[in-house]
Amino acid sequence: MGIGVHYDGVSVVSVQHHRDGSINVPFWEFRPWRDGEALDELINRIATEYHLGARRCATYMDPSDYRVLLTDAPDVPEAEINEAMRWRIKDLVDFDVIRAAIESFAFAGTTGHADQQQRYVVVAEEQALQRRILQLEQAGVNIEVVDVPELAIRNLAQRAAGDVATGMLTLNDTYGLLTLTRGATLYMSRVINIGTNDLANAADRRPLLDNIVAEVQRSLDYFASHFRQDTIEQLLLAPLPLHLPGMDEYFGGRLGVDVRGVQLETLAHWQQPLESEAAPRCAMTFGVALRQLH
């Protein structure tokens, strides 16, 4: 069960994995805030109605509360690597690493044993992480995983593209996120400081779109120079909270790759039809729900 907390409401997506690889979504909902209702009250009502205390639930952090860094891995046993990473990245973040939650995972290197030499490190302000966990637990949610959007998007890209090297661009209200992945492997990610609110308020959107294109192109160029065993030939666009007709053609013409929008309803069997206006709010929640818990 994925649960997403948004500035304007809460989304829930239930996912069932089947042995044949198919995915079933028994139910989903995006419920907007009602006037005068507190966020905690809204989460509590949803938790009660969907019995979230008896389900295995996952959520994701707000981008302002964590950093994803790529750094050299220290030569220590695997059991000690997260603690060693804490001191490796202490000068790369603007908060106290002593009070930070640290998790790391292998980086898909270019050749040889590069995946043992570098790792991605997720470093989150512990106070912000605990605040999110406490908010959900006090509402009665059985929260088992707090993930990061990069890995939720990785799950969507894997579902949409399989074992093909793929770029995926997500534009939310206040920011964008580009991931380059192949299957379950995250090669790299880039935060883009342009969101759909910026596009909606711009008299001329083309300079902003060109800035996004430039960020994507830099990432593709970096990928081409560092990952010679793979070629990214497509860019997937996650559902947008803003209607931007022709965006795929605009990006494709400038990037020289196939660009297409992802239709979430094609990635699983949705027992309740997914409404197009709710898809942008449910995309990341669906992605985090696709994570298989062990």
Side-chain angles (χ1 to χ4, degrees):
M1 188 80 181
I3 178 167
V5 180
H6 313 269
Y7 79 93
D8 57 349
V10 175
S11 58
V12 290
V13 179
S14 176
V15 163
Q16 295 173 335
H17 294 264
H18 297 291
R19 293 182 183 273
D20 62 0
S22 62
I23 298 291
N24 185 48
V25 179
F27 59 87
W28 66 271
E29 183 181 359
F30 172 69
R31 189 173 301 182
W33 285 7
R34 296 187 305 199
D35 289 342
E37 182 179 36
L39 173 60
D40 292 347
E41 294 174 357
L42 176 58
I43 298 174
N44 193 286
R45 284 198 299 115
I46 290 176
T48 299
E49 292 175 25
Y50 287 108
H51 307 288
L52 299 188
R55 299 181 184 275
R56 308 182 72 187
C57 298
T59 190
Y60 54 89
M61 296 195 68
D62 186 275
S64 62
D65 292 332
Y66 73 93
R67 306 287 183 274
V68 177
L69 306 168
L70 178 63
T71 186
D72 293 335
D75 186 17
V76 298
E78 185 70 22
E80 301 173 13
I81 199 160
N82 285 343
E83 193 59 29
M85 281 293 193
R86 183 184 305 276
W87 307 110
R88 181 63 58 89
I89 55 89
K90 65 183 177 65
D91 295 326
L92 302 178
V93 296
D94 55 1
F95 49 85
D96 186 358
V97 296
I98 295 178
R99 295 179 175 83
I102 302 285
E103 186 62 80
S104 67
F105 54 95
F107 169 59
T110 52
T111 58
H113 298 286
D115 58 334
Q116 297 177 2
Q117 298 167 5
Q118 288 190 305
R119 291 177 77 92
Y120 276 113
V121 185
V122 181
V123 51
E125 292 187 87
E126 192 170 274
Q127 191 174 28
L129 178 61
Q130 292 298 330
R131 186 167 57 245
R132 172 56 58 86
I133 294 172
L134 187 62
Q135 179 185 55
L136 295 172
E137 286 184 340
Q138 287 184 335
V141 178
N142 174 35
I143 189 72
E144 295 197 4
V145 171
V146 180
D147 219 329
V148 291
E150 285 84 348
L151 296 182
I153 295 171
R154 182 276 313 269
N155 296 342
L156 289 178
Q158 182 180 13
R159 190 70 192 163
D163 195 32
V164 175
T166 299
M168 188 161 185
L169 177 64
T170 301
L171 290 179
N172 294 314
D173 300 279
T174 57
Y175 74 99
L177 185 60
L178 173 70
T179 61
L180 302 183
T181 63
R182 179 180 180 182
T185 300
L186 174 68
Y187 285 110
M188 61 180 294
S189 66
R190 180 189 293 269
V191 175
I192 299 173
N193 296 317
I194 298 173
T196 54
N197 288 347
D198 300 305
L199 293 168
N201 295 325
D204 183 359
R205 293 172 177 164
R206 285 173 297 180
L208 292 175
L209 292 174
D210 287 341
N211 286 342
I212 296 173
V213 167
E215 293 284 354
V216 175
Q217 187 64 66
R218 277 193 284 268
S219 297
L220 295 181
D221 291 344
Y222 179 87
F223 183 91
S225 64
H226 285 73
F227 302 96
R228 301 182 187 279
Q229 75 273 26
D230 263 330
T231 301
I232 290 183
E233 298 179 351
Q234 65 176 344
L235 176 68
L236 305 179
L237 303 178
L240 292 169
L242 175 69
H243 183 54
L244 292 172
M247 186 172 170
D248 48 354
E249 291 90 348
Y250 191 86
F251 281 6
R254 284 155 177 76
L255 293 170
V257 298
D258 179 43
V259 180
R260 61 183 176 89
V262 173
Q263 306 297 321
L264 298 184
E265 56 269 28
T266 67
L267 306 184
H269 172 62
W270 298 69
Q271 292 182 205
Q272 299 172 246
L274 180 63
E275 299 169 3
S276 58
E277 60 270 21
R281 291 289 184 259
C282 290
M284 200 87 73
T285 309
F286 178 43
V288 79
L290 284 172
R291 174 177 178 147
Q292 297 205 51
L293 306 181
H294 300 286

